[in-house]
Amino acid sequence: MSTDRDAWPTLDELLREEGELELAGLSETDAYELGMLAVTAATEQRLPVSVGVWRAGRQLFHCGLSGSTADNDAWLRRKGRVVMRFEHSSLYMARLCQDKQVTLAERYGLPASRYAAAGGAVPLRVRGTGVVGWVGVSGLPQLDDHRFVVDVLRKLPR
């Protein structure tokens, strides 16, 4: 996967994508079903990822698939913190930082040990409520992590 920023979606494209992924709700059952949808897709593709679904600071789903490591779990949490801080995908924030040629630490004073502007975590927006949590994966190159999550979210009923 290319790391050339021109191969990445633009900030406008990422914003449009986030708007298209709005959910009707996010119950515990919805979070489980979303997590299992991601696990099933990753298992079918034999992807070595960790999957997580969070709502309001509470982890509702986690699964580390074969080949994933504790490091993937740590990256997942760091990317999720970015989503909850900025209410945008972690790839959006990575692109924003690239475009401005700064890091999260330089621009916002956020420690890299706790926050990662790297693709793979996407906000869970509930219609009429806003961002209530996030879903993410870690284990692939960041653009692939992001695309995987978006593909899974697009399979959900609207």
Side-chain angles (χ1 to χ4, degrees):
M1 182 70 46
S2 171
T3 57
D4 176 9
R5 76 182 184 117
D6 293 331
W8 287 34
T10 66
L11 292 175
D12 286 341
E13 289 168 337
L14 290 165
L15 284 176
R16 270 193 306 279
E17 182 179 80
E18 288 178 15
E20 294 166 2
L21 300 174
E22 191 174 64
L23 304 172
L26 184 67
S27 68
E28 287 82 355
T29 301
D30 295 332
Y32 174 78
E33 290 171 357
L34 172 57
M36 287 306 299
L37 189 61
V39 167
T40 299
T43 300
E44 288 171 356
Q45 298 174 54
R46 296 188 175 139
L47 301 177
V49 295
S50 287
V51 177
V53 180
W54 290 69
R55 184 187 67 195
R58 181 172 168 223
Q59 186 172 25
L60 299 180
F61 185 93
H62 176 264
C63 184
L65 296 174
S66 180
S68 68
T69 67
D71 194 44
N72 298 124
D73 297 338
W75 271 94
L76 188 59
R77 287 187 301 274
R78 290 170 57 216
K79 292 188 276 188
R81 285 186 192 107
V82 167
V83 171
M84 293 311 294
R85 174 75 180 241
F86 298 100
E87 296 191 351
H88 288 295
S89 73
S90 54
L91 186 64
Y92 178 93
M93 293 308 296
R95 177 70 196 235
L96 179 71
C97 287
Q98 277 189 355
D99 288 355
K100 299 200 178 287
Q101 298 181 346
V102 296
T103 65
L104 282 176
E106 292 165 342
R107 185 166 172 98
Y108 302 102
L110 300 175
S113 62
R114 295 198 40 85
Y115 295 85
V122 175
L124 294 172
R125 277 193 176 79
V126 171
R127 198 170 301 112
T129 302
V131 175
V132 298
W134 60 274
V135 57
V137 301
S138 179
L140 308 172
Q142 63 178 320
L143 289 174
D144 294 338
D145 275 350
H146 178 83
R147 288 179 183 135
F148 177 85
V149 173
V150 169
D151 288 344
V152 167
L153 283 168
R154 285 197 167 128
K155 292 177 183 173
L156 293 176
R158 298 277 168 244

